[in-house]
Amino acid sequence: FAGLRDASGLRLISGGPMMGTVVHDPAAPITKTSNCLLLVPAEAQPRPRPCIRCGACDRACPMRLQARALHDCVRATDFDRAQDLHLFDCIECGCCAYVCPSAIPLVQYYRHAKGVIEGLDRDHAKALAAAARFARHGSRRRNAPISGGAELLDLPGSRAALRADIEAALARRDERR
Amino acid sequence: MSSPFLHSGRTVTRLMFGVVVALLPGLAASIYWQGWGVLWQIALALAAAVACESVALRLRRLPLAFTLKDGSVIVLALLLALAMPPLAPWWLSLCATGFAVLLAKHAFGGLGQNPFNPAMAGIVFALLCFPRQMNEWPALTVPALTVAGSIDALHAVLDGRPIDALSGATLLEHTRGEARRMVMVSEMAGAPVFGAIGGRGQEWINLAFLIGGLYLVVQRIVSWRIPCGVLAGVALAATVLYGVDDERYFPAPLHLFSGATMLGAFFVATDPVTAATTPRGQLWYGFGVGVLIVAARCWGRYPDGVAIAVILMNALAPLLDRWTRPVRFGEK
């Protein structure tokens, strides 16, 4: 990156100071959507203090979400209430964390909660699909004819027929010898 | 490491420092009108508050220097000392501060977790347990700000017995006593406790706190909604009562510029931890504090009611937040 040899003590950010992501390897390529690369000193983020409920985050939010209440919900792992407070309308612009006097990494909390909720939703969808599959399977078994098992055995390709074919093939081999 | 990678630099420490700066004019006016006792109270409360905070942090195994540096305990001590009578005995100051820091603040989880304003909880505690000592205020003559005066004040604080020449009634107490003797408001006029607009001396202290409070609002350290709500609540409630019976109740300017109205409106009710946080909630919260201040003064057992009004509204703040949830962007 721009002749950079030694990246120690520096931080490479792709996508601007408010919403960008850290690029860990300077060899990473840029893509069509890369709009900006920043190389800044790798300062530690200020140490967070407890929330003082000042509401600066609420005032800063361009989506007018209740950032403080969302933070409380995420900390209490009350993800249902976080969704009631429209967590998924958060655009992760970072304004709340920028103004927070306690230097709480609010965006990190929201991203974490979104990830957890999406994981839970995926699990829920999988469970629903499995339940539907099981219900279909049960109804197929119930609707099948009771005597069906014996008939199936006589059909070509059934186990007995296969065995007969194998026997015949083995007999032919013995004859050729 | 996650975005944003910038920070505004407005930290809790700087906000608290701003509050301390904004308290200075009111502090100077208090010393001018009430004597050196104010400074002694502040020294006592500060020492006790920092000591109690350190003990609490040690017990809770929290980082000492980092947490003390947030400055919240200094603001707590200043507010508490300014709300105490300047010549209150030293042990009363220590009791109130200890209660405020250890029980009202740290027993609930420290900074950000306390449901009630710790400084006002300390004041209410002292008011309920030691009402006589809490209502001895210095006389209204401008005390001589000399070295001898400061030593006199120190003696008064340490001996626990205010010097008679120094103690007297404030406007709110005086009128309270008069009203109990069925003296009409119009007959009280001209008593030495009255100043140009409010209580003599107190009007200037209130004005100085108003100036400091405006600095807080301009610097956006506190939201303008809470003080506006408080002042509107006081003005409206006082005007309505005065309109109903102008022989028993006082007009609004007198309420606004006496007692701890301005200190309460700009510095106490605006404590973000214990106040409502939504915009409309803050207006209602402030309004409630204002109405309750007047109610406590007119019908309560104590001459001033700022601490009680704030504590009561603290209890309502979470409910107000719930009722006044703002709509998000794009929502009808």
Side-chain angles (χ1 to χ4, degrees), chain A residues 4-127:
Chain A
L4 175 73
R5 294 274 175 271
D6 182 18
S8 60
L10 295 172
R11 181 181 291 142
L12 188 56
I13 297 166
S14 163
M18 293 296 278
M19 294 180 71
T21 48
V22 178
V23 179
H24 293 286
D25 185 357
I30 59 164
T31 63
K32 202 152 64 160
T33 54
S34 309
N35 54 1
C36 146
L37 280 176
L38 291 172
L39 192 64
V40 293
E43 290 162 5
Q45 269 175 338
R47 191 169 164 190
R49 289 179 189 277
C51 169
I52 56 165
R53 293 166 41 88
C54 65
C57 46
D58 292 354
R59 284 194 293 280
C61 181
M63 293 302 294
R64 293 192 214 126
L65 302 180
Q66 287 183 283
R68 189 189 58 71
L70 275 169
H71 166 248
D72 288 348
C73 292
V74 178
R75 281 190 73 125
T77 64
D78 187 352
F79 296 121
D80 288 341
R81 197 157 165 255
Q83 275 176 294
D84 289 347
L85 291 167
H86 313 293
L87 171 67
F88 280 91
D89 286 346
C90 168
I91 56 173
E92 299 178 18
C93 64
C95 294
C96 47
Y98 176 81
V99 298
C100 178
S102 295
I104 299 169
L106 289 157
V107 179
Q108 216 167 307
Y109 277 99
Y110 305 148
R111 279 204 196 114
H112 165 73
K114 284 176 179 175
V116 171
I117 292 171
E118 271 161 12
L120 289 175
D121 282 352
R122 249 197 319 276
D123 290 352
H124 188 59
K126 268 189 193 163

Side-chain angles (χ1 to χ4, degrees), chain B residues 143-223:
Chain B
L145 292 179
T146 57
V147 179
S150 81
I151 292 168
D152 276 354
L154 182 61
H155 271 301
V157 172
L158 290 182
D159 295 348
R161 258 183 296 112
I163 306 154
D164 283 343
L166 284 175
S167 69
T170 60
L171 170 91
L172 289 173
E173 275 166 87
H174 175 78
T175 52
R176 200 180 159 74
E178 295 285 83
R180 214 175 281 144
R181 290 198 297 275
M182 305 304 285
V183 179
M184 294 298 160
V185 167
S186 50
E187 293 167 40
M188 286 183 216
V193 290
F194 287 98
I197 27 177
R200 189 152 171 271
Q202 285 183 337
E203 60 196 7
W204 298 110
I205 297 174
N206 269 291
L207 196 66
F209 278 126
L210 172 66
I211 290 166
L214 289 178
Y215 168 79
L216 281 186
V217 171
V218 170
Q219 290 286 307
R220 304 223 178 165
I221 293 172
V222 304
S223 128

Side-chain angles (χ1 to χ4, degrees), chain B residues 211-276:
Chain B
I211 290 166
L214 289 178
Y215 168 79
L216 281 186
V217 171
V218 170
Q219 290 286 307
R220 304 223 178 165
I221 293 172
V222 304
S223 128
W224 59 269
R225 291 185 177 85
I226 296 176
C228 279
V230 175
L231 300 183
V234 169
L236 194 75
T239 308
V240 167
L241 285 180
Y242 186 66
V244 170
D245 187 348
D246 63 354
E247 287 297 334
R248 279 180 61 209
Y249 302 112
F250 290 106
L254 206 135
H255 274 291
L256 286 173
F257 285 94
S258 57
T261 309
M262 293 296 170
L263 179 68
F266 285 95
F267 294 90
V268 179
T270 52
D271 168 28
V273 176
T274 52

Side-chain angles (χ1 to χ4, degrees), chain B:
Chain B
M1 193 66 209
S2 147
S3 66
F5 302 97
L6 298 177
H7 191 266
S8 61
R10 274 171 81 95
T11 58
V12 174
T13 312
R14 281 185 55 186
L15 295 188
M16 295 292 178
F17 183 74
V19 175
V20 173
V21 169
L23 276 170
L24 290 180
L27 176 63
S30 297
I31 294 174
Y32 180 77
W33 285 96
Q34 299 178 336
W36 291 112
V38 180
L39 266 192
W40 292 120
Q41 292 295 338
I42 287 174
L44 259 177
L46 265 179
V50 172
C52 288
E53 177 98 348
S54 305
V55 169
L57 292 176
R58 179 62 55 82
L59 287 176
R60 298 178 60 209
R61 297 194 177 80
L62 288 172
L64 199 66
F66 174 72
T67 316
L68 273 179
K69 233 195 283 171
D70 66 26
S72 61
V73 78
I74 291 166
V75 172
L76 185 161
L78 282 177
L79 290 177
L80 190 117
L82 285 169
M84 291 287 281
L87 297 178
W90 59 274
W91 48 266
L92 186 56
S93 226
L94 292 192
C95 278
T97 315
F99 181 88
V101 176
L102 295 176
L103 277 171
K105 188 178 177 193
H106 279 287
F108 287 100
L111 177 64
Q113 304 290 324
N114 44 304
F116 299 106
N117 186 317
M120 290 305 109
I123 291 294
V124 169
F125 168 76
L127 204 56
L128 292 178
C129 297
F130 307 101
R132 194 177 63 81
Q133 284 88 346
M134 283 300 284
N135 285 325
E136 274 171 352
W137 289 78
L140 299 149
T141 49
V142 181
L145 292 179
T146 57
V147 179
S150 81
I151 292 168
D152 276 354
L154 182 61
H155 271 301
V157 172
L158 290 182
D159 295 348
R161 258 183 296 112
I163 306 154
D164 283 343
L166 284 175
S167 69
T170 60
L171 170 91
L172 289 173
E173 275 166 87
H174 175 78
T175 52
R176 200 180 159 74
E178 295 285 83
R180 214 175 281 144
R181 290 198 297 275
M182 305 304 285
V183 179
M184 294 298 160
V185 167
S186 50
E187 293 167 40
M188 286 183 216
V193 290
F194 287 98
I197 27 177
R200 189 152 171 271
Q202 285 183 337
E203 60 196 7
W204 298 110
I205 297 174
N206 269 291
L207 196 66
F209 278 126
L210 172 66
I211 290 166
L214 289 178
Y215 168 79
L216 281 186
V217 171
V218 170
Q219 290 286 307
R220 304 223 178 165
I221 293 172
V222 304
S223 128
W224 59 269
R225 291 185 177 85
I226 296 176
C228 279
V230 175
L231 300 183
V234 169
L236 194 75
T239 308
V240 167
L241 285 180
Y242 186 66
V244 170
D245 187 348
D246 63 354
E247 287 297 334
R248 279 180 61 209
Y249 302 112
F250 290 106
L254 206 135
H255 274 291
L256 286 173
F257 285 94
S258 57
T261 309
M262 293 296 170
L263 179 68
F266 285 95
F267 294 90
V268 179
T270 52
D271 168 28
V273 176
T274 52
T277 54
T278 62
R280 277 182 303 144
Q282 288 183 333
L283 277 175
W284 281 113
Y285 170 85
F287 189 77
V289 171
V291 171
L292 283 175
I293 288 176
V294 175
R297 281 179 185 173
C298 293
W299 305 308
R301 289 187 53 191
Y302 304 104
D304 205 350
V306 173
I308 293 163
V310 168
I311 290 286
L312 285 176
M313 286 311 288
N314 284 166
L316 266 184
L319 192 64
L320 286 176
D321 274 351
R322 199 163 263 259
W323 281 345
T324 58
R325 182 172 295 174
V327 283
R328 75 195 142 136
F329 181 65
E331 195 175 24
K332 290 268 157 59

